[in-house]
Amino acid sequence: MKAIGNGTIEQCVQNLLAIVRGEVCYDRLRGLDARNIDKPAGEAAELIREDAMWELETYEPRADVRRVLVTAESSVEGRFSVTAELE
């Protein structure tokens, strides 16, 4: 997290997309589901996109999300890039 400026919509969206589900104490649903990484890249990308949309709608209602892009940086190693495009 940054020392200042954590309340902006863009920063909150970025923070939410960087959290893995289960790592936030007392809010175990917050974050993206890590189980999707073990699936084939095409299937995982769609599941991650849907999960990210739910995440942003649930935890950052101020964000007007146009779309979420998921790119497999290395499908062999399970690295994906998740980007939200805001209005």
Side-chain angles (χ1 to χ4, degrees), residues 62-80:
R62 299 177 301 165
D64 189 10
V65 181
R66 179 180 295 169
R67 65 182 174 164
V68 173
L69 302 170
V70 179
T71 311
E73 293 178 5
S74 173
S75 58
V76 174
E77 296 174 4
R79 280 189 279 162
F80 292 88

Side-chain angles (χ1 to χ4, degrees), residues 21-22 24 26-33 51 54-55 59:
R21 185 161 295 146
V24 177
Y26 305 112
D27 192 356
R28 297 295 182 189
L29 290 179
R30 189 179 304 231
L32 298 177
D33 192 348
D51 198 22
W54 178 84
E55 179 85 11
Y59 292 105

Side-chain angles (χ1 to χ4, degrees), residues 7-75:
T8 65
I9 294 172
E10 294 82 6
Q11 187 63 46
C12 289
V13 166
Q14 185 177 6
N15 289 343
L16 283 170
L17 294 178
I19 298 170
V20 175
R21 185 161 295 146
E23 75 178 333
V24 177
C25 296
Y26 305 112
D27 192 356
R28 297 295 182 189
L29 290 179
R30 189 179 304 231
L32 298 177
D33 192 348
R35 294 177 298 180
N36 293 326
I37 294 171
D38 289 335
K39 294 180 173 39
E43 181 184 343
E46 183 60 26
L47 292 170
I48 292 169
R49 188 192 68 73
E50 290 172 4
D51 198 22
M53 287 296 293
W54 178 84
E55 179 85 11
L56 296 175
E57 289 170 2
T58 303
Y59 292 105
E60 189 48 76
R62 299 177 301 165
D64 189 10
V65 181
R66 179 180 295 169
R67 65 182 174 164
V68 173
L69 302 170
V70 179
T71 311
E73 293 178 5
S74 173
S75 58

